[in-house]
Amino acid sequence: MGSGQLVTVFGAYGHTGRFVVAELAARGFVPVLSGRNVRTLEEMAREHGQEARAASVEDPASLDRALAGTAAVINCAGPFASTTGPVVEAALRARIPYLDVAAELEANLDTFARYRERARDAKAVIVPAMAFFGGLGDLLTTTAMGDWTEADEAHIAYALSDWHPTAGTRLSGAVSRERRGAHRLRYSGGQWERRTDAAPTLEWTFPEPMGSRPVIGEFTMADVVTVPQHLSIPEVTTYMSAEAARDVAAPHTPAPTAADGRGRSNQTFLVDVVVRSGGAERRATASGQDIYAVTAPLVAEALERVLTGRTRTVGVASAGEIFDAPDFLLALDPHITLDLHPRKQNA
């Protein structure tokens, strides 16, 4: 457990940031609350008896003060296109690990491209997208791969009961759309494609009792960035249940509201991963409650493993590359329900 180590949470007062702060405190860490909104930061600090250190990405010195004397930083502040670079730079100056919960494709691609060599040479640890999108799918895909060194294709399908987006999700989505313009991104043949056609609507057969559901195909999420960074799979596709896709796209869908004592919404999720190689198929699934809330144990577990040396590499790394994926997933009980059910088919 945390043993009283200080950990800066940048964007601590955001929807996901608050879950992360609570999870860190429950694990014995001492969260240091950081962000640019001084009033909200101080109110949260008084409420929970925690330290607040105001900081802005436009002021590197303020970030240095926010990270001073801490063991690591977790970036929960979107849009990550604006915050990732400055907070990574501050972490490198402080020589501490950096983790974030970014779901923005472009921000994640930027992190791998800009910091891969520099972080490796410095033996620094940078773990982007250590969240529901990016981290969980990557861990499931890595687990499903098992002893395979390569595969033909990986499919990651999300079934969300609904998707009430936070203000941060809406802002990050707007930034991503602005960067992409009229294009959408697809990963095929081992490379990224920019497409202008509409994403297809398909049927995906989820494990029983859910069964067949309509999904938006090529609903490209952060897993499509993280998986190919370390797994030899030329075709990686993500899918989103059609109802949830409509929810997140609708301008008037309300933000999530707490439905239990932990602040989680009633939203449920199922992540279904299928990996195929030749005539063989392997599958792994995870289910649980509230995609924002479950991000907290994901990134907190990652932090614990980084700080205790339970890692497999240094530099910028995906979850499945730097951690023992099956062991990591099992450690998330009771936050997720895991089911590994590989099956083989003849070619």
Side-chain angles (χ1 to χ4, degrees):
M1 301 298 281
S3 301
Q5 291 172 292
L6 300 179
V7 176
T8 299
V9 181
F10 188 68
Y13 46 74
H15 186 83
T16 301
R18 289 176 182 270
F19 282 118
V20 171
V21 167
E23 182 70 20
L24 290 176
R27 289 174 179 245
F29 292 100
V30 178
V32 175
L33 314 183
S34 188
R36 66 186 305 162
N37 190 321
V38 178
R39 177 178 296 180
T40 304
L41 201 63
E42 291 180 347
E43 288 175 355
M44 184 177 176
R46 285 194 298 271
E47 179 183 355
H48 298 285
Q50 294 164 337
E51 181 182 1
R53 300 181 188 178
S56 166
V57 295
E58 290 83 18
D59 182 357
S62 71
L63 289 172
D64 291 342
R65 290 190 294 271
L67 273 56
T70 65
V73 59
I74 299 175
N75 183 9
C76 298
F80 291 91
S82 300
T83 66
T84 298
V87 182
V88 168
E89 292 289 348
L92 290 171
R93 291 193 297 271
R95 298 184 178 182
I96 61 174
Y98 167 96
L99 302 90
D100 70 37
V101 298
E104 295 169 34
L105 297 180
E106 296 81 8
N108 292 322
L109 286 166
D110 287 348
T111 301
F112 280 102
R114 292 177 181 174
Y115 295 103
R116 186 189 301 277
E117 293 185 7
R118 185 174 163 196
R120 183 184 63 240
D121 292 345
K123 293 183 170 51
V125 172
I126 297 174
V127 187
M130 194 60 244
F132 177 80
F133 293 116
L136 182 55
D138 185 30
L139 290 165
L140 288 166
T141 304
T142 306
T143 300
M145 284 281 287
D147 58 354
W148 289 353
T149 57
E150 59 183 26
D152 299 324
E153 55 194 57
H155 303 270
I156 304 167
Y158 311 102
L160 309 185
S161 59
D162 54 61
W163 191 352
H164 289 214
T166 64
T169 294
R170 289 198 182 279
L171 181 58
S172 291
V175 169
S176 286
R177 287 191 296 275
E178 183 178 349
R179 291 186 67 176
R180 288 198 298 268
H183 298 87
R184 62 183 181 87
L185 295 177
R186 182 178 78 167
Y187 187 81
S188 180
Q191 60 186 5
W192 286 95
E193 298 178 353
R194 292 168 62 85
R195 300 180 64 92
T196 56
D197 59 332
T201 299
L202 311 165
E203 289 288 319
W204 183 270
T205 303
F206 290 94
E208 294 298 337
M210 184 169 291
S212 181
R213 297 289 179 91
V215 297
I216 305 300
E218 300 172 14
F219 193 93
T220 305
M221 299 300 291
D223 314 82
V224 187
V225 176
T226 58
V227 168
Q229 299 294 333
H230 67 105
L231 296 177
S232 181
I233 309 176
E235 303 286 334
V236 182
T237 310
T238 49
Y239 309 78
M240 179 60 66
S241 51
E243 302 94 329
R246 286 194 293 268
D247 281 347
V248 77
H252 302 300
T253 303
T257 56
D260 64 19
R262 294 162 58 183
R264 298 181 301 175
S265 72
N266 280 327
Q267 179 199 53
T268 59
F269 65 80
L270 172 66
V271 186
D272 186 26
V273 172
V274 176
V275 180
R276 298 188 180 108
S277 180
E281 178 180 282
R282 292 177 174 177
R283 196 168 195 167
T285 65
S287 58
Q289 180 180 346
D290 194 328
I291 64 174
Y292 297 107
V294 81
T295 287
L298 276 161
V299 73
E301 180 67 26
L303 175 71
E304 281 196 12
R305 289 172 182 250
V306 168
L307 294 180
T308 55
R310 289 178 288 164
T311 54
R312 294 179 163 181
T313 188
V314 295
V316 185
S318 303
E321 178 182 13
I322 194 169
F323 304 119
D324 179 331
D327 184 69
F328 191 110
L329 289 170
L330 291 172
L332 292 176
D333 180 71
H335 302 286
I336 66 169
T337 300
L338 183 67
D339 188 12
L340 305 181
H341 37 101
R343 60 178 191 247
K344 296 182 178 180
Q345 297 175 340
N346 296 325

